[in-house]
Amino acid sequence: VDQVEEWPDGDWFVRRVTGAGADKVYRCPGCDQELRPGVPHLVSWPAWRGGEQERRHWHTACWRNRVRRGPGRTRY
């Protein structure tokens, strides 16, 4: 189920992925580490038209802490 979350950097669609639903390797944009198959995580994308093209897979903790990242790092 997709949710809309309001953050200082805008509104985001967020989908939680269970470990059983995670069957591919992704790279978390927050820590640049791999999300291995079987690891629960979340997928987010900007809540604007065409934002689904910017869909990214995140560790849950990295997603929560992303607004605290320093300059020079992208938000997604």
Side-chain angles (χ1 to χ4, degrees), residues 15 25 32 35 37 40 44 52 58 61 65 71 76:
R15 178 182 303 152
V25 175
D32 201 34
L35 285 155
S44 69
E52 61 276 356
W58 294 77
N65 293 317
Y76 53 86

Side-chain angles (χ1 to χ4, degrees), residues 15-24 36-43 60:
R15 178 182 303 152
R16 273 133 182 91
V17 179
T18 65
D23 59 354
K24 291 173 52 178
R36 305 292 301 164
V39 173
H41 63 280
L42 60 83
V43 180
T60 303

